[in-house]
Amino acid sequence: MTNTQNDAAFVEFERVQKSYDGENLVVKDLNLAMPKGEFLTMLGPSGSGKTTCLMMLAGFETATHGEIRLDGVSINHIPPHKRGIGMVFQNYALFPHMTVAENLSFPLEVRKIGKSDREEKVMRALGMVQMQDFAGRRPTQLSGGQQQRIALARALVFEPELVLMDEPLGALDKQLRETLQFEITNLAHELGITVVYVTHDQTEALTMSDRVAVFDDGRIQQLAPPDELYEAPQNSFVAQFIGENNTLEGVVQEIKGNTCIVKLDSGDIIDAIPVNVSAVGDRTKVSIRPERVEFDKNRLQDGAHTLKAEVLEFIYMGDIFRTRLRVAGTDDFVIKSRNAPDQTRLTPGQQIEIGWLAEDCRALDA
Amino acid sequence: MTDTAQSGPVLAADGRPLKASLNRALRRQKMRAMLLIAPLLFFILITFVVPIGQMLFRSVENQIVSDTLPRTTQMLGDWDASTGAAPDTPVFAALTKDLMVAVEKKQHTRLGSRLNYETTGVSSLFRKTGRKVDDMGEGYTDQFVDLDPKWEDPVFWADLMADPAASALPMTQDAYAAFADTIISEDGDDPREEQPWHTVYLSLYQDLSAGADVGSLPAEVATAQTAAVTFQTEDLIAAFADIDEDWLSVDTWQTIQTYSPAFTNGYFLNAVDRQKTPDGSEWRPEDQQIYLTLFVRTMIMSLTITFSCILLGYPVAWLLANLPMRQANLLMILVLLPFWTSLLVRTSAWKVLLQQQGVINEIVVWLGLVADDNRLALINNATGTVIAMTHILLPFMILPLYSVMKTIPPSYLRAAKSLGATNWTAFWRVYFPQSVPGIGAGSILVFILSIGYYITPEIVGGTKGVFISNRIAYHISSSLNWGLAAALGAILLVVVLLLYWAYDRIVGIDNVKLGG
Ligand SMILES: Nc1ncnc2c1ncn2[C@@H]1O[C@H](COP(=O)(O)OP(=O)(O)OP(=O)(O)O)[C@@H](O)[C@H]1O
Ligand SMILES: [Mg+2]
């Protein structure tokens, strides 16, 4: 280890751009630094350039511009097989003509590791994913989840320090996905490896990662730990993309310190914290999480602004109630309330007043 | 389990064993499916299985000899060739009678051609003899007619032969029946209006001299029997020898005897350069052995062609599967282009390119790679055949390879490289093994096609570059020895099936893929 500092960047993207066709930039100005041992997830809609970033890191695509460094060394011109990066592919990419054990010993063979060492490492890696009994099987004789485990073991068996995973759980059902999410994070922490994980499932991103990079339009829109991402989105894309979100549009009327007053297009006035607005008169999208909306007057702060709302729909979802309201001219304002004994059940047609704490309501870019 | 007591088979809802119920349900399904495909199955049976069966049958079938010479082959049964002497008069008499019928039915030339495959000269022998056979036995006719003019009368003959007591004269009856049948069927004549052939008189003489009991027959017969003792005999052997000395040769008779049975392995023996002898078989003379060499050459050259197709086709298929769409489509058109031009044109083009004064030779001479007086022999030999056939069969290798390669996701190669494999290792350990089914399918196609090819070898192969199929074609269209052609074809079929079996054992036939 050349880096003595704990938070020194292990993986670094510096001003990286990528274009496939010379006309469109798929990745625009990517800057990213990851410390060793971090579990970082790239999250974003389809076509936002996540796989492209991963491929550049793995060496299968070359950056059009900029530098990618691994452990302080530029790897732009190092071929993939010399980068020593483990990779788990979305479709597993297990070699169908080899058994599970042969698949696992492949990276060891090309590294010219002796037979007995190889066997031991293979069994150890299979042990990590609880698949020792399947060593002699062909990949086609395994279920999707089992194949995924083997793909993971294969990416880990040669003890890489960095492992890339491109939507590894995309093809699995929900329950299996959750089990494997847990196993992957556990393994990553146990082994102390650095992981770059790609997904477009936000729950997966939030539950697994140390930090999440939200991609859109070839840029990282926000790079933050899951809680910060959810609670303090930096722009309206992130607010929309992560979790359920209510958006109201309006104009900034007044900014005082870390709160501001927004006049909605319907004429209503609300409180918010200015996040992505700079001056009075800016158009803004105001974002409020459904579970932070209050309709019980007693729980609201004195002097908080409230809005009139009409209940359109009440949906019973077991652990929570989901109520759709008409608020300030929009029909898709949603609130969520916990199913507790003292919780009120709203009925369609009912007229209520809703409000929120100013710090839960963020004025973002329009 | 609560019902462990129930040890019998699982029962369906109606109390029948579940297995039987399932079978019944499936059987109905199968029957319906069978009915659907039945017309096609029938069609395939008729157009595919029957011709092959016919061919296999032809390679052993040999009824022509015993059909054309029934009496002779029967008489020859007792003849022993090892005595070194030609058969006796009765055999010649039988031959006379057989030939008489055969000539009238114009079958003797066909028989001649058939036996000529085995012993050269038999064909002309039969043709020559056929022209003279109707005079044989004339001496007996004259003597009978001199004795009593009634013997000239067709009606007298017809009545005599219709008499139940005529069974006392078996040979006569037989000869007369052959005469009557033949003139009715061949000339549309009435036996009651035509004087019998000389062979009938010959038979009558034979019957009478053999001491037939003619008591219950008309008196003329008894008179003739008494007179016959004094008849002057006709020397049939001399008559035949007079037409051709070969009738005295043991070889001629041996050929007829050897090929008397209705079925023969003669064609097959011939196809592997052996010949039939009275006691088994022996190698043909060195200078007549061609087929084994041809078989071996066909196999070796087909393998060579298959391997060159793999070598040339693999990179092309790889490009096809990995180039961007537009270039790949263009390349695909180039690959398919040969299919759009006539086979003959392509082969002839190779002739132009490869000949001594051809384009390729001119270029290498111009480049100074070979001397002008030492030009490469690229055509009319095995090299020419391999070059032209590789070109012609290449698409059959490329297409299955391409369709298999198309199904290998690029992520496998990436995975291999990410695991630390160099480009070569990734290709050799990961990509290549997965493309083997394509190689297998392409090889089987190319090999089987090239084994049966004959147009191209015929045009560019000269004498050293022709295949067994060229001989088969020759025997089918020129020498008309279909039996031999069928035997060669059957052997080829067996060899291919054997290779197929070996391939299945070594590589596994499920390891052949023509696509996805
Ligand atoms: N090989 C390629 N050639 C040209 N364009 C490409 C290529 N690969 C990806 N692209 C384009 O680059 C953009 C980003 O693709 P990328 O695969 O990185 O998206 P992604 O974020 O991984 O999406 P997904 O979630 O659907 O996997 C897309 O618009 C895609 O069309
Ligand atoms: Mg992707």
Side-chain angles (χ1 to χ4, degrees), chain A residues 55 60-61 81 85 87 89 91 93-98 106-107 109-111 154 158, chain B residues 409 411-423 425-426 429-431 433-434:
Chain A
M55 288 301 162
F60 297 120
E61 296 291 349
H81 67 270
I85 298 176
M87 187 145 185
F89 290 80
N91 57 3
L94 294 175
F95 307 138
H97 58 291
M98 299 182 188
F106 181 81
E109 277 168 46
V110 300
R111 285 179 171 73
R154 190 178 66 175
F158 60 99
Chain B
S411 62
Y412 286 134
L413 274 183
R414 292 186 158 181
K417 285 185 216 167
S418 82
L419 293 171
T422 57
N423 284 343
T425 315
R429 297 273 320 268
V430 174
Y431 195 85
Q434 293 187 67

